[in-house]
């Protein structure tokens, strides 16, 4: 059994895999990590390996003696050619997502959109070449910025706008943030489609369910795609070693 661990900016997401099957999924705050990992290893004593990616500071936790830990870094054997101009600055999470797209959808142009704290866009072409993408603020960051960098705008949480035309300050904020993100995603897809026809679109991240029905293009919506990608690249590495 494999435990995949994704350490994000605010939370830890993990999943237990038996070969290619996801057995159980967990999400918790970083402060509760040690407690949760103890519970996971008690519930699944057959876990033999942990594969970990992190966009923030590394999280250390004690492993049972029989468990091997594998931390993804820029030296990992990824299944694509990286043409990013500054490869050392490319986020590990973006590399894992690109790898997962390459392995799950071979011989296709792929766009992975990760809608979390930030929204990232990553393109891998049908020849398994990573071309780059884009980074923008996510939904929550936009709400926070409107409150923190203005004098009077309230701090709101993500909510479906009642109308494209806000009839109140709150309504205007919801319309601006949510519709702004949706128009951005649709716009990026349209731009990429001009140069990379016949590509698949994978939407993932914490805001997947909220955004999936608002994107006008055909997509694969999978909020657990990063964890599944960790499993894919683990299988890829050790099948190819």
């Amino acid at each position: 059994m494999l435990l995949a661990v994704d350490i994000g900016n605010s939370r830890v997401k993990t999943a237990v895999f038996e070969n290619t099957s996801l057995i159980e999924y967990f999400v918790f705050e970083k402060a509760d990590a040690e407690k949760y990992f103890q519970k996971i290893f008690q519930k699944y004593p057959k876990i033999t390996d942990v594969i970990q990616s992190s966009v923030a500071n590394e999280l250390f936790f004690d492993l049972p003696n029989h468990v091997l830990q594998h931390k993804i870094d820029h030296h990992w054997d990824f299944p694509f050619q990286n043409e990013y101009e500054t490869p050392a600055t490319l986020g590990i999470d973006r590399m894992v997502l690109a790898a997962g797209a390459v392995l799950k959808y071979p011989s296709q142009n792929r766009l992975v959109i990760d809608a979390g704290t930030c929204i990232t866009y990553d393109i891998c072409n049908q020849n398994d070449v990573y071309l780059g993408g884009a980074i923008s603020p996510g939904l929550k960051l936009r709400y926070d910025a409107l409150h923190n960098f203005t004098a009077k705008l309230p701090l709101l949480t993500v909510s479906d706008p009642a109308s494209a035309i806000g009839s109140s300050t709150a309504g205007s904020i919801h319309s601006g943030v949510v519709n702004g993100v949706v128009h951005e995603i649709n716009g990026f897809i349209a731009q990429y489609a001009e140069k990379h026809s016949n590509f698949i679109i994978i939407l993932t991240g914490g805001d997947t369910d909220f955004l999936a029905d608002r994107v006008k293009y055909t997509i694969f919506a999978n909020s657990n795609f990063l964890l599944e990608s960790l499993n894919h690249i683990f299988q890829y590495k050790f099948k190819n070693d």
Side-chain angles (χ1 to χ4, degrees), residues 134-156:
I135 305 172
S136 71
L139 284 167
K140 185 176 183 301
L141 271 182
R142 298 183 195 213
Y143 279 104
D144 290 348
L146 287 173
H147 173 68
N148 292 329
F149 296 104
T150 62
K152 295 184 178 180
L153 291 180
L155 178 60
L156 304 178

Side-chain angles (χ1 to χ4, degrees), residues 50-109:
V50 172
I51 188 166
Q52 172 187 336
S53 72
S54 173
V55 301
N57 294 328
E58 184 173 358
L59 182 72
F60 294 94
F61 50 90
D62 292 330
L63 298 176
N65 292 333
H66 69 283
V67 176
L68 297 177
Q69 185 175 18
H70 313 271
K71 187 177 186 297
I72 304 292
D73 59 25
H74 289 89
H75 303 292
W76 191 272
D77 182 20
F78 289 96
F80 56 77
Q81 177 184 333
N82 191 349
E83 291 196 352
Y84 207 58
E85 290 184 3
T86 55
T89 69
L90 180 58
I92 293 297
D93 56 331
R94 297 176 68 188
M95 298 180 74
V96 169
L97 289 169
V102 166
L103 294 170
K104 186 171 178 63
Y105 302 101
S107 303
Q108 299 182 65
N109 294 315

Side-chain angles (χ1 to χ4, degrees), residues 33-215:
E34 185 174 355
K35 174 181 64 178
Y36 271 91
F37 281 120
Q38 288 177 354
K39 290 181 178 179
I40 292 169
F41 287 118
Q42 288 172 359
K43 185 172 184 179
Y44 295 101
K46 292 185 179 180
I47 293 173
T48 58
D49 295 89
V50 172
I51 188 166
Q52 172 187 336
S53 72
S54 173
V55 301
N57 294 328
E58 184 173 358
L59 182 72
F60 294 94
F61 50 90
D62 292 330
L63 298 176
N65 292 333
H66 69 283
V67 176
L68 297 177
Q69 185 175 18
H70 313 271
K71 187 177 186 297
I72 304 292
D73 59 25
H74 289 89
H75 303 292
W76 191 272
D77 182 20
F78 289 96
F80 56 77
Q81 177 184 333
N82 191 349
E83 291 196 352
Y84 207 58
E85 290 184 3
T86 55
T89 69
L90 180 58
I92 293 297
D93 56 331
R94 297 176 68 188
M95 298 180 74
V96 169
L97 289 169
V102 166
L103 294 170
K104 186 171 178 63
Y105 302 101
S107 303
Q108 299 182 65
N109 294 315
R110 311 95 166 168
L111 168 62
V112 184
I113 304 171
D114 184 8
T117 302
C118 292
I119 304 173
T120 58
Y121 303 81
D122 294 288
I123 286 276
C124 261
N125 68 19
Q126 61 187 0
N127 299 316
D128 298 341
V129 177
Y130 177 84
L131 302 176
I135 305 172
S136 71
L139 284 167
K140 185 176 183 301
L141 271 182
R142 298 183 195 213
Y143 279 104
D144 290 348
L146 287 173
H147 173 68
N148 292 329
F149 296 104
T150 62
K152 295 184 178 180
L153 291 180
L155 178 60
L156 304 178
T157 56
V158 179
S159 179
D160 192 11
S163 170
I165 302 174
S167 58
S168 65
T169 297
S172 297
I173 291 173
H174 289 310
S175 177
V177 171
V178 174
N179 290 316
V181 166
V182 172
H183 291 318
E184 174 193 298
I185 291 174
N186 287 325
F188 270 120
I189 292 172
Q191 282 187 316
Y192 292 145
E194 291 177 0
K195 293 186 177 181
H196 306 281
S197 60
N198 300 319
F199 65 95
I200 65 161
I201 305 161
I202 304 151
L203 177 65
T204 190
D207 290 323
T208 298
D209 294 340
F210 183 80
L211 293 171
D213 292 338
R214 294 171 169 83
V215 177

